[in-house]
Amino acid sequence: MLRGRTEERAAIRRLLGDLPTGGGALLLQGEPGSGRSALVDYAHRHAEGCAVLAGTGLPEEADLPYAGLQRLLDPVLDRAPALPEHQRRVLLRAVAGAGCPAHRRLALSLAVLGLLAAAARETPLLCTMDDVDRGDQPTADVLAFVARRLHRSRVAVLLTTAADVPLGGMARHRLRPLDDRDSVALLTDRLGGRPPAPPVAAALGAAAGGNPQALLDLAGVLTPGQCRGEEPVPETPPPDGRLGRAYRARVDRLPADTRRVLLLAALDEDGEPATLVRAARAAGTAVEALAPAELAGLVRVEPRRVTFPQPLVRTVVRAAAPLAERRAAHLLLAGVLDGTRHRLRRAGHLAAAAPGPDPALAAELEQAAAEYARGGAVAAAALHRAAELSDDPVRAAARLVAAARYAWSAGRAHRARLLLGELPPAAEVAVAGRADLLRGELELRTGRPGLALTTLLSAADTLAAADRACTGTGGADGDRALALGALVRAGEAVCFAGDQYRYAEVARRAELLRRPDDPPATELLSAYVAGTAATLRGDHEQAGPALRRAVVLGGQLTGAASTPAALTCAAAAGLLVAVDGAAHRLAERAVELARERGEVSALPRALELRAAAEYWLGRHDAATDSSRKGLRIARDTGQENWAGVHLGMLAVLAAVRADRDTALRRIREIGEDAGAHSRPRALAQWALAVLDLVDNRPAAAAARLAGLACPGTGRGQVLVLVMATPYLVEAAAAVADRPVAGAALAVFDRWASSTASPSRRALSARCHGLLAPRGSAEAEREFRTALRLHPTDADAFERARTELLLGRELRRSRRPRAAREHLHAAREAFTLLGAASWAQQATTELRAAGESVGPPEESAARLLTGQQLRIAQLVAEGATNREIAARMFLSTRTVDHHLRNIFHRLNIRSRTELARALS
């Protein structure tokens, strides 16, 4: 089954469908492996009632004029006598190998057009030429001429090309890379119907770059362990796969000078054109020799960079060159690079050419990697090579760990694990501690949080012991800071798994490592752990000063001390003491710094904290955007645990908007692997509870939220429960479950009162209003206090919720006139925010308060998704559901489903009202 080629298949069907009344042409352009030949086969299968002429451009015949034309037309050359005499002679002469003079090319092209028209008189004709750019150019020119003149015939021409050839005058489709969904579907097909694990699918999709054949080649070499995600998957398609062989054949046909310069480009990862120009000159040729490779689509030369559109080509070019040629090319590149400006690149090429251990070169690589501003995969490769060139096992092990750290920083978890796997079993203490720290962090983000906790605590002990040994000899105390970092990560593992009661042990160990003269970055870590532990045990008087100190220190960090890890700690501290603006600034700075330094693996955590700050600030759209970005990066880097966190947050944000479909889809994506008390599972339960409230099922909502955690024991997701407390109180109050609501609110009150946040105190007052006796002065007083505390410049959604609840309270107290003021304010705010379901609740309350209100005044374009708006427009134009389904390639059931949601969102009941709403 063809995956991801819906538009191209539709274009082919239209081309064939027009044949009874007129001809046409279609050009499909795409890189090797993109599915061009599969689409040609698709056309052949669907050419019912048509005769078919099929040809393929052959590189072996590229120098033989009209060879491709001869093979294509051979089955219908018996129709040549029907042509005018001069056309027949020039055609037969060309396909016989006698060529065609320039002044007779028009006659030849008209002859081919006439021959195809004659062959199609009785039966429509489909004429296809796959890889037209790889055969002889005269054939391509004739077919392009014919393709532009088919409107009066019953001939369809379908051409495919890999290169961007100048064949104008016909419809052209560029085959795009497959998206994630189609990539997974194709992999599932190839693996016998068994979908790969999500991180495996993400890694394979990244390695293939959306190329279908690359995906199939990768799937063909996977081991069972790789399919399950237990072993690292290949980072590039196999060079000996079908796609690799196709590229190898193209490379082998290039001129010798072109292959020489192409090898230089393949070995120089930086792709700087000036370097390639100098290297080509030093090799006795010129960069212009790359032109044939450019025309073949193997390489792209731009003003600032030389790139390989398909990374596999770089691998194939390297593999095709003998070892001696590769070494000579590396030395040549090193010779044209400046040792100061391009220190790491030059050292890398010298190291690649080194025949054996070279301690001096290993040290040069290590120093150059430390100076390299962008770090990441380049520095990881340099340090790995430095380890190989080392003659000291201790230095080699340290360099391996540093290489693994850089690889993880670049988001390459599998590569980091492979590098750690090369460590000798008896590594020096500090090196072993750093290796365990990295192993624990990898488990925390990508594996099993329970194992991560054990590994991180062990790493902290090992690093603390190394620090004590260094202190005794007068060494630096960098290992103590790393030990504290390991404990911070251990605390994250505790909170992720919902075992907050174990945080006390983390804090106890961190306290033993604290020193009164700690530098700011180290003091920040100690303050954060101490403050978080105090928060989890409900001791906000002790927690507040420590966490605020962490926030202040985070804002003061500069230079090397200002790292994404330190800034995320400070941002998390800010959220715990409800200084949302500061937390957002710190998280935003962490995101910016991670991007500047290439620390991709730090982004999901930083974006999680940014999204949480945006949630509290009432910027729900911004929070959704942050979580989407965090989800994409988490999946790209194999951080399935943090992908689950972002999916949970996206589900909550969708549920708050009453977007049931999106919320449930995000919850399904979390999957069954997340632990029962894990943060993703708790966020999913919160989202489901909000949907229960929207659908007027408060008992179900209260039961879900009450089960998130037990604050008294520290088990479960205590912090998520605190965030969700306003919803729990609302649900419990609706079913008169005062004990549950009161217990949760007591915890929330202690926290909110310890902060200086008006928004938290507003939520607390609103909750007390919900629990006060109905119709009492106390209830109204608490709601009005909440309105007074809600910031006017932020969190419009929560303010609107309070207006709605106050309006409902006044309406139930038989004060409809007073209620309407607040209900109108709520309805207007919800409408402007695009929260249609909440606006509908306000509308219902207004009607119950005796006011006649119509549908929201906000335009449909603001209230509907893109697909819903398109369906609504077609309905307004008079299309039936069946017609809409056919035009949008949907099932009628799907159209019915969308139409129900459209009616609900716009608060209308008929197609006539829908047409008016869109007018």
Side-chain angles (χ1 to χ4, degrees), residues 463-464 467 476-488 506-507 509-531 546 549-558 560-563 565-567 569-570 573:
L463 288 164
D467 175 71
D477 64 349
D479 289 324
R480 186 167 59 85
L482 288 175
L484 278 169
L487 291 173
V488 168
V506 174
R509 295 181 185 219
E511 181 61 28
L512 295 175
L513 294 172
R514 179 182 291 200
R515 301 287 184 273
D517 58 345
D518 275 338
T522 306
E523 183 188 352
L524 189 158
L525 300 179
S526 298
Y528 171 69
V529 173
R549 177 62 178 161
V551 173
V552 170
L553 288 168
Q556 294 174 346
L557 293 178
T558 58
S562 180
T563 64
L567 291 168
C569 278

Side-chain angles (χ1 to χ4, degrees), residues 551-881:
V551 173
V552 170
L553 288 168
Q556 294 174 346
L557 293 178
T558 58
S562 180
T563 64
L567 291 168
T568 53
C569 278
L575 290 171
L576 290 176
V577 288
V579 285
D580 305 321
H584 187 266
R585 287 191 295 274
L586 288 163
E588 178 65 22
R589 179 59 185 145
V591 170
E592 292 172 355
L593 205 58
R595 285 175 173 153
E596 288 172 12
R597 297 181 180 180
E599 295 186 31
V600 181
S601 63
L603 283 168
R605 172 65 171 160
L607 286 164
E608 174 208 357
L609 295 170
R610 190 175 81 177
E614 287 161 344
Y615 170 83
W616 282 116
L617 290 166
R619 305 174 190 168
H620 291 183
D621 288 344
T624 299
D625 183 60
S626 293
S627 287
R628 283 175 181 156
K629 290 175 180 175
L631 173 62
R632 178 180 57 78
I633 297 169
R635 284 175 166 168
D636 288 347
T637 56
Q639 298 187 52
E640 284 306 301
N641 292 336
W642 255 252
V645 171
H646 284 291
L647 285 168
M649 194 63 190
L650 286 167
V652 170
L653 291 163
V656 167
R657 295 192 308 271
D659 184 350
R660 169 177 292 279
D661 291 345
T662 299
L664 294 179
R665 175 167 58 84
R666 294 303 190 184
I667 290 169
R668 286 193 297 270
E669 288 181 65
I670 291 173
E672 300 298 325
D673 294 336
H677 299 294
S678 68
R679 191 179 306 158
R681 185 66 60 201
L683 290 168
Q685 289 299 309
W686 180 9
L688 290 170
V690 174
L691 292 177
D692 286 334
L693 267 179
V694 170
D695 293 338
N696 197 27
R697 293 195 300 270
R704 288 186 193 279
L705 293 173
L708 290 181
C710 179
T713 64
R715 294 182 182 274
Q717 290 294 330
V718 176
L719 298 179
V720 176
L721 175 59
V722 170
M723 289 181 74
T725 292
Y727 290 95
L728 172 56
V729 170
E730 183 176 345
V735 293
D737 191 346
R738 306 293 185 196
V740 168
L745 183 54
V747 174
F748 187 87
D749 277 346
R750 286 197 298 272
W751 172 58
S753 63
S754 73
T755 74
S757 168
S759 65
R760 304 302 194 280
R761 297 186 182 200
L763 293 174
S764 174
R766 188 174 83 194
C767 290
H768 281 282
L770 286 165
L771 293 180
R774 296 277 63 80
S776 67
E778 178 188 355
E780 183 178 351
R781 182 178 66 253
E782 293 288 359
F783 280 126
R784 293 194 182 279
T785 299
L787 283 179
R788 178 174 51 80
L789 287 169
H790 277 302
T792 57
D793 58 344
D795 208 359
F797 178 80
E798 290 298 347
R799 183 180 184 85
R801 294 261 292 126
T802 301
E803 295 272 19
L804 173 61
L805 292 169
L806 174 56
R808 187 177 69 185
E809 168 67 18
L810 293 171
R811 195 264 305 167
R812 291 176 177 176
S813 301
R814 303 190 179 187
R815 297 168 61 189
R817 180 177 298 177
R820 288 196 287 268
E821 173 191 350
H822 298 286
L823 293 172
H824 273 298
R827 182 172 181 267
E828 180 181 350
F830 287 136
T831 301
L832 290 174
L833 291 168
S837 182
W838 295 106
Q840 177 59 40
Q841 286 195 24
T843 301
T844 301
E845 287 291 337
L846 274 168
R847 286 172 178 158
E851 184 152 334
S852 176
V853 287
E857 296 176 0
E858 183 67 14
S859 68
R862 292 284 302 275
L863 298 174
L864 303 179
T865 66
Q867 190 170 50
Q868 287 174 340
L869 183 59
R870 178 61 181 147
I871 290 172
Q873 289 168 339
L874 291 173
V875 169
E877 292 169 8
T880 66
N881 286 10

Side-chain angles (χ1 to χ4, degrees), residues 32 133 162-163 247 250-251 254 290-299:
D133 56 316
Y247 277 123
R250 288 171 178 252
V251 170
L254 295 172
L290 268 184
E294 262 195 289
L295 291 173
L298 299 174
V299 68

Side-chain angles (χ1 to χ4, degrees), residues 235 369 372 374-384 399-422 438 441-442 446 597-602 636-639:
E235 295 183 355
Y372 188 63
R374 287 175 288 176
V378 175
L383 282 162
H384 185 209
R399 286 162 179 163
L400 271 176
V401 174
R405 170 59 67 182
Y406 274 118
W408 167 235
S409 178
R412 302 176 67 183
H414 287 317
R415 181 62 180 160
R417 285 195 173 94
L418 285 175
L419 290 167
L420 290 174
E422 294 183 24
L438 181 53
E441 189 171 341
L442 286 165
T446 71
R597 297 181 180 180
E599 295 186 31
V600 181
S601 63
D636 288 347
T637 56
Q639 298 187 52

